[in-house]
Amino acid sequence: MHHRRTTAPAPGPGPAPATAPAPVAAAPPGAGAGIIVVGAGAAGLALTHELTRTSGDAPGVLLIDPPPGPDTSPDRTWCFWGDPGGAAGDPAVPVAARWPRLLVRGRDGRAVAGDCVPPYRMIRSGDYLRALGAELAARPGVRRLTGTVTGVRDGPRGAEVHGADAAGRPFRHRARWVFDSRPPRRLPPARTTLWQHFRGWFVRTERDAFDPDTAELMDLRTPQPARGLSFVYVLPFDRRTALLEYTEFSAAVRDADGYREALEHYTRRVRPLGPFTVTRTEQGAIPMTDGAFPRRAGRSVLRIGAAGGATRPSTGYTFAAVQRQCAAVAAAHRAGRVPLPPRPYARRHRVMDAAWLRALATGRLDGAAFLEDLFRRHPLERVLRFLDGRSGPADDLAIGLRAPVPPLLRSLAELPLLPRRAPAPPPGARPYGPAYAEETV
């Protein structure tokens, strides 16, 4: 259930390769700035965009992004519903695909579908980087530096960032505030950590097999793990091409054969497609944890994006929360307040997520049955607000009254008694990030 997906480019209407962002003036050695943003991904660009979109009181911003290599995020797409605001709402950022209807299919094959207003949308990372890069290039207060940051620390009147540029020359820059969007190398200690891991096939069929107006958030007709949840996520690009992504929530990830068997079972027995070609694949894992991500790493060093807790523990959704978080940081700075990133999710949502993860991890909760009931018993708009962390107390109460109370209440009651332990990344994964990913042709 992740908004944020790392994808390989597919031919035709599927995701396209990222293109280099428009150049922004390089920073001179030793230069000072009002704000330094480390990382030029979704969060770094969104924050820089929001901080400098008004000319009168915009601070000077130095944006530091890594050179091409292992620290550079692969091409990806971000999907979301509603209005995320912030940089994602900029008219210059093109929408790659949109679906006016959403569907969830239960284990018995019965579907719950409804209109999604505004439509469920996909943005390609390359389009996002290029469009926002072009805008930032035209803003005089923005400077850009390509380099590897090796240290961030508090200083006497702000913070200091040091590292080496693309040519290997050392640099050191100072600013009143530093916002670090780099994923932490380790997950925080947690009572429960599951992995939302997935493998997707971009397929082309020989006959019409998909409804290009309908995104299938979950097809639950997959074998369910004893302690977890599985489903297939279907994004059609036209009647014969789509992304089919097997997704599982569990304590351990599958190996390559395990994913292949799951997708073959789905495309041959659950949803027979007839002859088809796999044009691209994607694979990744997102941590689902009740660990606390610190938003502050020093007096003047703050964390944003997934590093600042923007990934929803129970769903993996990140992109819309990043936009809301960065818009709030920029508003606080303009108002003269300490620009501490707000917690992306309300305390009651974090408590609910912790209980849900625990109930799922212990096998007390039937995850597929929970989701079937959630979509069948509530209006689609309420469910989408709830999954995205935008639901109010009335929504949460309505959902809670129809939830399976015994397993959730038992899990909630035992949370204070559980120790927090540092989880290990799944075998073979990169150091922690919003999504570990591999792409193959």
Side-chain angles (χ1 to χ4, degrees):
M1 288 196 299
H2 38 96
H3 274 303
R4 184 174 194 155
R5 295 183 178 271
T6 305
T7 64
T19 56
V24 180
I35 289 175
I36 295 175
V37 177
V38 179
L45 284 175
L47 180 58
T48 305
H49 177 276
E50 290 300 290
L51 285 168
T52 60
R53 65 185 175 86
T54 57
S55 58
D57 55 352
V61 177
L62 172 61
L63 178 62
I64 304 177
D65 54 337
D71 292 330
T72 304
S73 296
D75 294 340
R76 63 185 63 196
T77 61
W78 296 298
C79 293
F80 56 92
W81 50 67
D83 180 10
D90 192 307
V93 179
V95 174
R98 63 186 75 222
W99 296 271
R101 287 181 62 77
L102 295 177
L103 180 148
V104 171
R105 199 177 301 276
R107 293 166 297 174
D108 57 4
R110 288 193 297 133
V112 176
D115 295 336
C116 185
V117 181
Y120 190 55
R121 285 158 287 168
M122 171 191 286
I123 290 177
R124 297 172 182 155
S125 63
D127 293 339
Y128 181 92
L129 297 175
R130 182 176 59 253
L132 295 186
E135 287 207 12
L136 297 179
R139 297 180 182 180
V142 178
R143 295 173 295 144
R144 196 160 191 163
L145 171 64
T146 299
T148 301
V149 172
T150 57
V152 180
R153 63 184 182 185
D154 274 320
R157 290 184 297 275
E160 184 176 271
V161 176
H162 55 88
D165 67 15
R169 296 177 299 235
F171 64 73
R172 182 167 61 183
H173 296 280
R174 297 172 298 277
R176 176 64 187 90
W177 301 106
V178 172
F179 293 93
D180 195 346
S181 67
R182 296 173 300 165
R185 292 296 176 182
R186 295 180 181 84
L187 289 172
R191 294 163 296 203
T192 308
T193 298
L194 296 178
W195 293 95
Q196 181 184 144
H197 51 102
F198 54 90
R199 184 169 179 85
W201 285 354
F202 290 89
V203 302
R204 182 185 294 114
T205 62
E206 294 184 6
R207 61 176 175 82
D208 291 354
F210 308 107
D211 176 2
D213 289 332
T214 302
E216 299 189 25
L217 290 183
M218 284 169 270
D219 187 339
L220 293 160
R221 295 177 296 169
T222 50
Q224 297 296 319
R227 297 186 176 190
L229 168 70
S230 73
F231 57 87
V232 171
Y233 175 68
V234 183
L235 288 183
F237 301 114
D238 58 39
R239 295 194 178 276
R240 298 192 180 191
T241 61
L243 166 63
L244 307 178
E245 193 153 275
Y246 174 80
T247 304
E248 185 173 309
F249 298 1
S250 57
V253 302
R254 289 178 174 242
D255 59 18
D257 288 341
Y259 291 119
R260 177 181 52 78
E261 290 169 2
L263 283 163
E264 286 181 350
H265 174 78
Y266 183 77
T267 54
R268 292 177 180 177
R269 299 184 60 183
V270 176
R271 186 180 191 147
L273 296 180
F276 67 89
T277 302
V278 178
T279 59
R280 302 275 176 178
T281 67
E282 69 172 10
Q283 182 170 324
I286 299 171
M288 305 175 70
T289 173
D290 66 353
F293 289 81
R295 296 165 295 150
R296 197 163 203 160
R299 293 186 305 274
S300 298
V301 181
L302 309 170
R303 290 184 173 136
I304 57 171
T311 299
R312 177 96 194 249
S314 62
T315 64
Y317 293 162
T318 305
F319 184 70
V322 165
Q323 305 301 317
R324 296 193 295 265
Q325 185 186 63
C326 291
V329 168
H333 187 270
R334 284 193 295 271
R337 303 192 303 271
V338 173
L340 178 67
R343 294 190 184 279
Y345 304 104
R347 185 177 185 276
R348 67 180 184 279
H349 290 153
R350 299 196 303 274
V351 171
M352 293 166 71
D353 286 355
W356 188 84
L357 284 175
R358 187 66 187 170
L360 193 65
T362 57
R364 297 173 190 144
L365 181 71
D366 184 329
F370 175 87
L371 290 172
E372 286 174 352
D373 290 344
L374 181 66
F375 280 92
R376 288 173 178 172
R377 294 180 173 183
H378 301 278
L380 179 62
E381 295 82 0
R382 176 186 293 160
V383 176
L384 297 183
R385 288 194 300 268
F386 176 73
L387 294 177
D388 204 28
R390 295 180 294 111
S391 56
D395 289 328
D396 296 339
L397 179 60
I399 289 173
L401 289 174
R402 293 192 169 189
V405 173
L408 292 172
L409 192 59
R410 178 181 173 186
S411 299
L412 179 64
E414 76 178 11
L415 288 177
L417 307 177
L418 298 173
R420 292 183 179 268
R421 296 187 175 94
R430 294 170 56 190
Y432 166 68
Y436 304 109
E438 302 170 1
E439 304 87 24
T440 59
V441 178

